[in-house]
Amino acid sequence: MGYEQIRIVLNNELTEIARLHQDVENFGRKCGLSSKTQFELNLILEEVLANIISYGYEDNRRHEIVVRAELKQSELVIEVEDDGRPFNPLQTPLPDLEQPLEQRKVGGLGVHLVRELTSTVEYTRREEKNRLVMRKKAEKSEPTR
Amino acid sequence: MEITEEKRGKVKIVGLRGRLDANSSPLAEKRLQGFIEQGEERLVLDLSELTYISSLGLRLFIAIAKNIQKVNGKLALAGLNDHIYEIFKIARFTTIFSIYPSCDEAVAYCAA
């Protein structure tokens, strides 16, 4: 695998997630990621971004969210930076996943998926910004015969 | 996201094609709730052409399942690809949903 990286700047609108997916898919193709890693990378970024866009801002102004991803050897380093209110996803309580359907709560499910699909998640708040750095093992796609 | 519908006996089969993400999930949920409001109580969701799902998509299944339960109906999911099935496992959805490899098996369960 070569060394690839991508930087995407998004506005705080949910419709931006479609563009994000497109860019991330191009990045994944260049890196030769397996369809599973590609799927999970999209999912991780959507969960993080949807949280920021839906709950991060108290005003109606436009804000920029910066997404970076790079492949270092066989590890993906994914970074998201936003100027929303402080939010540390590592502090959100995990949803109770053993409850029967009637008692199932859906809050916290996105953060749970992010934690399960990454090997490490680090959160820092600095200069009025949230910065989330996630690491994930990258699988290569099978070479086509 | 494309939504297809078909009726087989008492069973309504709804196909969700494409991506179930932050943008498409609210609309898809509205359509599905609409079917229940129209009196459909036996629902098969054919996911064989669903390529992507996020937590907002997962929420939709919970909401639909709860409403089907209220009317004493039956709900089954069919044809999940490996990546989507994996997400269902991580969310522990495999224990609360009836999931079948094929649409025919899901229809047989709902018709019974």
Side-chain angles (χ1 to χ4, degrees):
Chain A
M1 271 188 224
Y3 180 84
E4 294 285 349
Q5 59 179 330
I6 189 175
R7 182 177 184 271
I8 311 162
V9 181
L10 303 163
N11 293 326
N12 52 323
E13 286 169 29
L14 282 178
T15 48
E16 289 277 88
I17 287 173
R19 183 163 70 87
L20 173 74
H21 282 163
Q22 206 89 75
D23 289 352
V24 167
E25 247 146 61
N26 289 335
F27 167 74
R29 250 194 305 276
K30 269 194 228 160
C31 295
L33 299 180
S34 71
S35 64
K36 182 172 188 278
T37 302
Q38 178 74 65
F39 181 103
E40 293 175 354
L41 177 60
N42 263 330
L43 181 56
I44 291 163
L45 283 171
E46 173 173 340
E47 299 303 343
V48 172
L49 268 293
N51 259 339
I52 296 169
I53 295 167
S54 306
Y55 310 112
Y57 299 102
E58 280 148 349
D59 56 37
N60 293 317
R61 298 214 324 266
R62 213 167 100 165
H63 294 267
E64 280 189 349
I65 305 163
V66 180
V67 174
R68 288 188 201 91
E70 61 180 304
L71 183 68
K72 283 180 177 167
Q73 275 99 41
S74 58
E75 189 181 54
L76 281 167
V77 182
I78 311 150
E79 196 185 306
V80 180
E81 199 174 74
D82 69 88
D83 62 348
R85 64 171 152 208
F87 174 67
N88 180 355
L90 296 170
Q91 283 174 351
T92 43
L94 283 180
D96 187 347
L97 300 172
E98 309 306 329
Q99 295 276 10
L101 176 66
E102 308 84 65
Q103 273 108 47
R104 270 296 174 110
K105 300 273 189 306
V106 283
L109 202 50
V111 173
H112 170 68
L113 292 177
V114 170
R115 287 193 199 171
E116 289 288 317
L117 297 174
T118 52
S119 39
T120 61
V121 181
E122 290 164 40
Y123 170 81
T124 44
R125 176 86 184 170
R126 228 176 67 191
E127 290 165 1
E128 306 287 295
K129 281 184 177 167
N130 297 303
R131 184 161 173 262
L132 206 58
V133 179
M134 297 158 285
R135 286 166 197 275
K136 172 173 183 60
K137 198 178 172 301
E139 281 174 14
K140 263 200 225 175
S141 61
E142 295 294 321
T144 41
R145 268 178 269 179
Chain B
M1 159 114 292
E2 195 190 327
I3 297 174
T4 62
E5 41 178 310
E6 182 194 332
K7 189 89 187 230
R8 237 184 267 174
K10 287 182 192 164
V11 181
K12 180 88 170 179
I13 306 167
V14 181
L16 301 177
R17 295 180 172 175
R19 311 170 66 91
L20 211 43
D21 58 20
N23 291 306
S24 57
S25 294
L27 214 67
E29 183 170 341
K30 229 180 219 169
R31 282 285 298 276
L32 289 170
Q33 298 290 14
F35 294 134
I36 300 171
E37 280 157 26
Q38 286 160 22
E40 302 292 352
E41 294 174 350
R42 295 164 190 254
L43 211 57
V44 167
L45 300 181
D46 179 3
L47 308 184
S48 56
E49 288 182 59
L50 189 69
T51 54
Y52 174 84
I53 192 165
S54 67
S55 68
L56 273 161
L58 293 174
R59 282 172 196 224
L60 170 157
F61 292 116
I62 291 275
I64 298 301
K66 283 183 176 172
N67 285 332
I68 285 281
Q69 209 171 41
K70 275 185 208 152
V71 295
N72 283 321
K74 273 181 153 183
L75 172 72
L77 311 181
L80 286 70
N81 76 30
D82 290 350
H83 303 328
I84 292 173
Y85 191 75
E86 191 59 34
I87 299 305
F88 268 63
K89 275 205 287 198
I90 295 173
R92 307 275 199 286
F93 272 29
T94 44
T95 54
I96 52 174
F97 286 98
S98 303
I99 300 173
Y100 293 88
S102 76
C103 205
D104 287 347
E105 288 162 280
V107 170
Y109 163 79
C110 282

